Amino acid sequence: MAQVYTGALVVVDVLLTLLKILYCIGEAIYKLFVPTKEKDVTGEIVLITGTGHGIGKELALKYASLGATVVCWDLNQEMNQETVAEIKKMGGTSAYAYKCDVTDREEVLRVAERVKEEVGNVTILINNAGIMPCHSFLDYTPEEIRKIFDVNVLAHFWVLQAFLPNMITKNHGHIVALSSMAGIVGLTNLVPYCASKFAVRGFMEALSEELREYSKGKNLNINFTTIYPYMVDTGLCKKPKIKLDCWTQGAHLNDVCLCP
């Protein structure tokens, strides 16, 4: 009897999985012809970390073009100012540059207070800042590993501790985190980086669930989005070489990232 019951459960699980697959395919086809309407960010105050170059800079330029007030955080003040200058050159007037070391909790809290006083309450927060030293695991120094986690993981904690309470009070906010495909699959020569991006994924999923329970059935208007980019030419990894082999016996994708 137990075997029959177990077999029935397996059949039900398989059918449910097939139904979910069909639903996702149908939803994807529908959205192909009827795209989801973009979120209107006019008047929103968007804070982005790591805006001196790369993805952070491009995000700042895009949000400014869509009518948002953009707050740029970066440790490199000169490059950060250049981003704001580009925004103003293209006609955006609501852009502000702040120098901030996101690995320093006290500095994050201090600069966050300045932003609240000088710009207003942040309504969209994008944790983008990251570093990616690239070489074999045994060649990483303890200092490198700690720095990777300070920038790629712990900074998310400090920035959210600074801005999330007000979002909860106002019941309005959107939190975005830049993870990576390296937060989905492991990559050679990027062991600490992969671990940090897996951590971002877990952090966002757990925090979203905690706030869902925190709301106790109320309509909590705080959204969470985690982005998983693949290889992007931002300067973090020089001359990357990608080798995609077939699925191995352990169902592990063998990706090789070599950064000379």
Side-chain angles (χ1 to χ4, degrees), residues 15-111:
L15 290 174
L16 286 174
T17 301
L18 289 174
L19 285 173
K20 288 179 181 179
I21 291 172
L22 290 173
Y23 173 82
C24 290
I25 292 173
E27 184 182 39
I29 293 172
Y30 175 79
K31 288 184 176 180
L32 182 64
F33 294 100
V34 186
T36 304
K37 185 179 179 181
E38 287 190 356
K39 180 176 181 177
D40 184 5
V41 296
T42 304
E44 301 279 1
I45 298 178
V46 183
L47 188 147
I48 307 166
T49 64
T51 45
H53 74 289
I55 293 175
K57 179 177 182 177
E58 296 303 319
L59 286 171
L61 295 172
K62 184 62 176 179
Y63 272 102
S65 72
L66 294 174
T69 295
V70 179
V71 179
C72 300
W73 276 20
D74 202 285
L75 187 59
N76 188 318
Q77 181 72 339
E78 182 179 351
M79 294 178 69
N80 205 30
Q81 290 287 2
E82 288 176 3
T83 299
V84 170
E86 284 192 38
I87 290 173
K88 293 184 176 179
K89 187 176 180 180
M90 68 183 209
T93 56
S94 298
Y96 304 84
Y98 291 86
K99 180 180 179 181
C100 184
D101 179 358
V102 292
T103 68
D104 185 335
R105 183 176 184 272
E106 295 305 315
E107 183 170 338
V108 166
L109 297 177
R110 185 168 58 252
V111 179

Side-chain angles (χ1 to χ4, degrees), residues 50-250:
T51 45
H53 74 289
I55 293 175
K57 179 177 182 177
E58 296 303 319
L59 286 171
L61 295 172
K62 184 62 176 179
Y63 272 102
S65 72
L66 294 174
T69 295
V70 179
V71 179
C72 300
W73 276 20
D74 202 285
L75 187 59
N76 188 318
Q77 181 72 339
E78 182 179 351
M79 294 178 69
N80 205 30
Q81 290 287 2
E82 288 176 3
T83 299
V84 170
E86 284 192 38
I87 290 173
K88 293 184 176 179
K89 187 176 180 180
M90 68 183 209
T93 56
S94 298
Y96 304 84
Y98 291 86
K99 180 180 179 181
C100 184
D101 179 358
V102 292
T103 68
D104 185 335
R105 183 176 184 272
E106 295 305 315
E107 183 170 338
V108 166
L109 297 177
R110 185 168 58 252
V111 179
E113 283 302 316
R114 284 186 57 202
V115 171
K116 293 173 188 177
E117 294 172 3
E118 298 170 5
V119 185
N121 292 315
V122 170
T123 55
I124 298 177
L125 173 62
I126 304 176
N127 276 313
N128 162 77
I131 59 173
M132 191 176 70
C134 185
H135 40 79
S136 63
F137 172 66
L138 294 179
D139 290 333
Y140 281 95
T141 66
E143 292 74 22
E144 275 185 309
I145 294 172
R146 290 191 182 96
K147 189 66 174 180
I148 289 169
F149 277 83
D150 280 341
V151 177
N152 294 4
V153 183
L154 294 180
H156 290 243
F157 285 77
W158 313 148
V159 177
L160 272 166
Q161 284 183 345
F163 293 106
L164 182 57
N166 186 72
M167 290 183 180
I168 294 174
T169 300
K170 302 290 185 182
N171 194 29
H172 179 70
H174 197 140
I175 297 163
V176 181
L178 269 290
S179 181
S180 168
M181 281 305 295
I184 302 293
V185 295
L187 299 173
T188 302
N189 291 333
L190 288 173
V191 174
Y193 180 79
C194 288
S196 72
K197 291 302 182 178
F198 268 82
V200 169
R201 175 186 175 187
F203 172 70
M204 289 289 284
E205 289 181 5
L207 183 57
S208 175
E209 179 62 18
E210 181 172 291
L211 280 188
R212 186 187 67 79
E213 292 190 10
Y214 168 88
S215 65
K216 297 180 180 178
K218 296 179 182 178
N219 184 23
L220 191 64
N221 189 30
I222 299 176
N223 299 308
F224 290 81
T225 301
T226 306
I227 310 296
Y228 299 92
Y230 189 54
M231 190 61 66
V232 180
D233 183 10
T234 62
L236 289 181
C237 187
K238 304 294 184 182
K239 299 179 181 179
K241 298 176 183 178
I242 305 300
K243 176 184 176 185
L244 298 178
D245 288 343
C246 297
W247 291 94
T248 61
Q249 185 176 359

